[in-house]
Amino acid sequence: ANHMRVQSPLSRMWITTFIRAVINGGLQEERLTHCILDESSVLGHLEILDDAVGLSRGFGLRLQFYFQSLGQISDCFPKGGYQTLISNTSQVFLGVNDVGLPGGAGTADFVSARMGEHTIVVNSGGANTGGSTQWSRGGNQSSHGGGTSWGGNDNWQPNGRKLLFPAEVVALSPRTAI
């Protein structure tokens, strides 16, 4: 770990050479090559990875990246290149605790948005009671009357709610994978 930054130029050369060798082998699906790039943010932006994300599948190359946050991805795939990575991959999130800075979206915001919404039913209701009684007398005759009224209501409305809000994503156990 203490030599990662110093040795990153060597790692960059090895990875570039490795990917070029696989691509130079031509289109193939019978011999798959699996490349795992852990702590790949140390490499910084590597143009061969930009190309490999989009077209390496046909050459039998499978890439697996591990990043600590969306910030690291955007550093390694600048100028919107991270969108290509995100749209061409499966993503697994564990132990998310990056909620971002004020005004900026963090990994938890991204995960929350990617999960989407679900429908919840909101119930509301109430009851009312009331009554009135009237009496009147006139002459030898007396008349009287009375009445009571009651009522109630029960309303429901479907509402959209995020499946998990960013604060709920952060609160998940680090062993829970999304």
Side-chain angles (χ1 to χ4, degrees):
N2 57 346
H3 298 290
M4 280 194 313
R5 293 247 181 247
V6 174
Q7 293 178 350
S8 69
L10 179 61
S11 297
R12 292 168 60 88
M13 184 189 69
W14 284 342
I15 291 168
T16 300
T17 303
F18 169 75
I19 292 174
R20 284 192 178 138
V22 171
I23 291 174
N24 286 339
L27 295 174
Q28 57 187 341
E29 281 293 321
E30 56 277 349
R31 288 186 305 154
L32 299 179
T33 305
H34 196 102
C35 180
I36 299 172
L37 299 168
D38 191 10
E39 297 295 340
S40 50
S41 64
V42 174
L43 299 171
H45 179 237
L46 199 55
E47 286 185 18
I48 191 75
L49 292 178
D50 290 341
D51 298 337
V53 165
L55 52 92
S56 65
R57 267 188 97 67
F59 293 93
L61 180 62
R62 303 299 187 260
L63 297 169
Q64 204 174 92
F65 297 92
Y66 292 91
F67 293 99
Q68 303 299 319
S69 68
L70 289 179
Q72 287 185 349
I73 295 173
S74 62
D75 288 346
C76 292
F77 294 89
K79 299 179 186 167
Y82 67 92
Q83 291 292 351
T84 303
L85 176 70
I86 289 172
S87 60
N88 283 298
T89 60
S90 299
Q91 297 127 37
V92 178
F93 297 91
L94 296 139
V96 174
N97 60 14
D98 170 25
V99 291
L101 299 171
T107 307
D109 296 305
F110 177 80
V111 172
S112 175
R114 289 279 299 185
M115 292 180 73
E117 295 186 349
H118 68 144
T119 303
I120 60 171
V121 176
V122 178
N123 285 317
S124 65
N128 59 53
T129 58
S132 66
T133 305
Q134 297 177 351
W135 298 93
S136 72
R137 291 183 183 209
N140 284 346
Q141 293 181 333
S142 89
S143 70
H144 64 278
T148 328
S149 68
W150 61 272
N153 61 42
D154 184 20
N155 299 317
W156 60 272
Q157 178 178 4
N159 285 339
R161 182 205 188 275
K162 288 184 179 268
L163 200 55
L164 286 177
F165 285 103
E168 294 171 316
V169 171
V170 171
L172 290 173
S173 163
R175 299 178 73 66
T176 300
I178 297 174

